[in-house]
Amino acid sequence: MTKKTAIIGSGISGLSAAAYLAKEGHLVHVFEKNSSAGGRARQFITENGYTFDMGPSWYWMPDIIDRFFRDFGHGATDFYELTALDPQFDMIFPDSTLSVPGTYPQLRAMFETIERGAGNRLDAFMMAAKYKYEVSMLEFVNKPCHTWWEFVSPKIVASALKLDLLSSFRSYVKKYFSDPRLIALMEFPVIFLGASPKDIPAMYSFMAYGGYALGTWYPMGGFHEVVKAMKAISEQLGARFYFNHTVEHIRADRGMVTELVINGQAHRFDAVVASSDYHHTETLLEKKYRNYDDRYWSSRTFAPSCLIYYLGFNVKIPNLKHHTLFFEHDLDTHINDIYINRKWPEKPLFYACCPSKTDPSVAPEHHENVFLLMPLATGIHDSEPIRERYLSEMIHRLEKHTGASDLAKQIDYKKSYCISDFLQDYNAYRGNAYGLANTLRQTAVWKPSIKNRKLANLFYTGQLTVPGPGVPPSIISGNIAATEVNKLKLHRYEKAV
């Protein structure tokens, strides 16, 4: 008997779940409130010729992304061209700039130049990080996390000490390096996990391996090419997509979801996977069917929101790399404004992405496509004047770094995106951009459950459940949710027999 399965939302995790479920023979229907697929990884094209990725721009952990395509008999490069970035990115400090090389031998040499003996210590750091990466990505993150017993396997138990679950990431990095620039470079990959490096488990050093050792890549045409490829696979397997379709209510009876109310019409399904914001999805249910109440959500530590500017410049900007991190101010000062003071930062760090340096298709000839992103506390007041104030500061620092002048006068396209937009477009809890913080107390079984505990056929996927935020984890999350739906199907077959 074929199961009719609904997926709410077409973000990365929803696309992943759609593909895996369609492969198993489900009649998959994907309902998306926005006009295009991708969720935070959507793309838009302006009338004057700019193509902007709205969210993800770092193509890290290429093996995890490629594993998704291999599961369907393809490779990522069957759908898009991948370009290795060299340098991977620039990191701007008050008195110097680190240009991170594209190859590991060059990276090692740079470390040795900055700090005597750091090359050997980088080898040791990366060897340990590679081990964590392999255990985490092959064993740890693929669990549905219903119970800690899932992690009682010989390999995970044997690896427990080597995973450094109880050590602080910051203290761990400082065991290897003392130069502040090298420490900042090694801490950068965990910033968007949602807490200070001093509060993130050292296990996440595997992200440095997934980035620096495996390289930073760019899919020509933009990151949205990943979305298009995942959608194409889902459609080839029979999944159907419905855009501008808002799920307004989830009806349930006798321990099962029975109907979704979509654009005012009721539709019956055998199973539902919610790739939409977890908190928002639960508000579509009667309170008695929810996994968590408002007190639970308010007690969680969320990763940041952010201010984004999509900018088109009618000139080429010199001395600007594809990725640039502006770290002229203290990292902890900015982090404290996000998590402790919960206010707009006084001395912000920010990130600039200029894909037109690599891909001429994303901007008109002799123009530049620039994406500016500044992490923020969730739930704070957001207004256009505040956004413009920070844009002026970021443009000033961009000019200082590149030597360009009067950049504000060269802008021929501008669009901002911030907390209120995350709320409007994604129903994101408190306008978050990156899901829950990956602190130890919000890891694995301590994350929101991937399964509704009161409704047997309702499942959740995405950055607010296991394994966590980011493109590769969201792909994995969709696979985990699909596997759980298939377990339900087999169980119901057995009951029927």
Side-chain angles (χ1 to χ4, degrees):
M1 179 180 176
T2 301
K3 295 299 176 185
K4 185 180 178 184
T5 302
I7 296 178
I8 306 173
S10 66
I12 296 291
S13 65
L15 291 168
S16 175
Y20 284 109
L21 286 169
K23 182 182 179 182
E24 292 299 316
H26 291 250
L27 293 177
V28 176
H29 299 260
V30 184
F31 299 99
E32 169 58 56
K33 73 184 287 285
N34 294 304
S35 60
S36 61
R40 287 164 171 78
R42 289 182 297 156
Q43 187 180 75
F44 69 93
I45 301 173
T46 70
E47 292 183 356
N48 57 343
Y50 294 99
T51 299
F52 289 101
D53 283 321
M54 295 188 69
S57 57
W58 290 83
Y59 197 105
W60 274 4
M61 303 185 187
D63 56 327
I64 304 302
I65 299 175
D66 197 58
R67 186 190 304 165
F68 168 84
F69 292 106
R70 293 200 310 272
D71 284 345
F72 300 94
H74 298 284
T77 53
D78 293 339
F79 295 91
Y80 47 83
E81 177 189 351
L82 277 176
T83 298
L85 300 185
D86 189 6
Q88 298 187 48
F89 58 90
D90 276 0
M91 200 167 195
I92 313 303
F93 295 101
D95 301 314
S96 62
T97 297
L98 287 187
S99 193
V100 179
T103 68
Y104 184 77
Q106 291 173 316
L107 180 68
R108 187 187 187 283
M110 184 191 79
F111 269 64
E112 187 65 32
T113 299
I114 292 172
E115 182 178 309
R116 187 175 180 181
N120 288 335
R121 292 193 294 274
L122 179 64
D123 288 339
F125 184 99
M126 284 299 183
M127 185 179 297
K130 180 181 180 182
Y131 179 84
K132 292 171 191 171
Y133 185 85
E134 291 172 346
V135 172
S136 297
M137 287 299 158
L138 294 177
E139 300 281 341
F140 198 82
V141 302
N142 293 298
K143 309 292 185 184
C145 298
H146 299 311
T147 169
W148 289 111
W149 287 108
E150 296 169 27
F151 299 92
V152 181
S153 73
K155 187 167 186 179
I156 291 178
V157 170
S159 304
L161 292 177
K162 292 183 180 180
L163 290 176
D164 290 304
L165 284 166
L166 301 179
S167 303
S168 154
F169 188 86
R170 171 160 292 168
S171 61
Y172 181 78
V173 170
K174 286 185 175 181
K175 290 179 181 178
Y176 290 88
F177 312 108
S178 58
D179 188 282
R181 294 167 295 174
L182 296 184
I183 292 171
L185 179 62
M186 300 311 285
E187 288 185 345
F188 158 66
V190 306
I191 288 175
F192 292 99
L193 292 179
S196 168
K198 72 180 187 308
D199 299 320
I200 293 288
M203 179 188 76
Y204 287 100
S205 62
F206 74 77
M207 292 184 65
Y209 175 80
Y212 302 152
L214 298 184
T216 301
W217 301 79
Y218 174 78
M220 298 298 287
F223 206 100
H224 192 68
E225 294 298 312
V226 180
V227 169
K228 289 161 62 177
M230 295 179 73
K231 179 173 178 284
I233 286 175
S234 300
E235 289 178 317
Q236 288 168 9
L237 294 167
R240 300 177 184 177
F241 287 78
Y242 305 85
F243 299 106
N244 301 307
H245 278 62
T246 301
V247 176
E248 300 160 338
H249 189 64
I250 303 174
R251 292 176 178 166
D253 183 45
R254 300 180 185 180
M256 301 286 285
V257 170
T258 55
E259 293 179 330
L260 299 183
V261 179
I262 306 165
N263 288 1
Q265 299 291 318
H267 301 267
R268 297 187 69 85
F269 294 96
D270 297 302
V272 176
V273 176
S275 175
S276 45
D277 179 90
Y278 199 127
H279 170 267
H280 171 72
T281 302
E282 297 241 289
T283 67
L284 305 179
L285 291 161
E286 292 182 57
K287 285 187 177 181
K288 64 182 179 180
Y289 294 128
R290 299 173 187 175
N291 275 349
Y292 307 102
D293 58 18
D294 287 341
R295 184 171 59 181
Y296 170 86
W297 290 108
S298 65
S299 71
R300 300 299 90 185
T301 301
F302 275 78
S305 186
C306 56
L307 168 64
I308 301 171
Y309 267 93
Y310 309 100
L311 303 172
F313 291 90
N314 59 18
V315 294
K316 301 299 286 185
I317 302 175
N319 306 314
L320 184 63
K321 301 298 193 300
H322 188 121
H323 296 302
T324 307
L325 304 172
F326 287 80
F327 272 54
E328 307 101 310
H329 300 311
D330 179 62
L331 171 61
D332 284 342
T333 299
H334 190 153
I335 286 176
N336 288 341
D337 284 341
I338 293 174
Y339 296 109
I340 299 174
N341 304 321
R342 302 195 61 78
K343 66 177 185 177
W344 285 81
E346 292 185 8
K347 294 184 176 181
L349 312 182
F350 73 97
Y351 156 60
C353 179
C354 187
S356 50
K357 294 296 183 186
T358 303
D359 185 355
S361 75
V362 300
E365 189 176 5
H366 306 305
H367 288 54
E368 213 79 279
N369 175 318
V370 176
F371 168 108
L372 302 179
L373 184 151
M374 185 180 76
L376 294 174
T378 60
I380 59 177
H381 175 65
D382 163 28
S383 69
E384 198 62 36
I386 295 176
R387 298 183 188 192
E388 287 291 316
R389 171 193 155 196
Y390 283 93
L391 173 62
S392 295
E393 176 172 344
M394 290 188 285
I395 291 291
H396 172 72
R397 288 160 65 181
L398 194 63
E399 290 176 336
K400 182 178 178 181
H401 168 62
T402 63
S405 59
D406 294 324
L407 283 180
K409 296 178 181 179
Q410 311 301 325
I411 295 173
D412 64 352
Y413 181 83
K414 178 173 71 173
K415 175 183 174 69
S416 63
Y417 203 93
C418 200
I419 293 169
S420 58
D421 300 295
F422 283 102
L423 284 165
Q424 173 66 34
D425 288 353
Y426 311 122
N427 299 305
Y429 183 77
R430 295 178 62 83
N432 81 84
Y434 300 102
L436 283 175
N438 273 351
T439 59
L440 182 58
R441 293 184 179 182
Q442 293 182 166
T443 296
V445 175
W446 291 322
K447 284 189 182 292
S449 173
I450 203 163
K451 186 182 187 303
N452 187 288
R453 300 188 181 104
K454 300 160 189 175
L455 301 171
N457 59 343
L458 175 59
F459 304 85
Y460 307 87
T461 187
Q463 62 180 13
L464 291 182
T465 185
V466 293
V471 171
S474 291
I475 291 174
I476 293 168
S477 184
N479 190 5
I480 296 171
T483 301
E484 292 299 293
V485 174
N486 286 326
K487 288 179 184 177
L488 167 71
K489 178 180 68 173
L490 292 172
H491 175 67
R492 292 179 70 187
Y493 282 169
E494 290 163 4
K495 284 186 69 175
V497 172

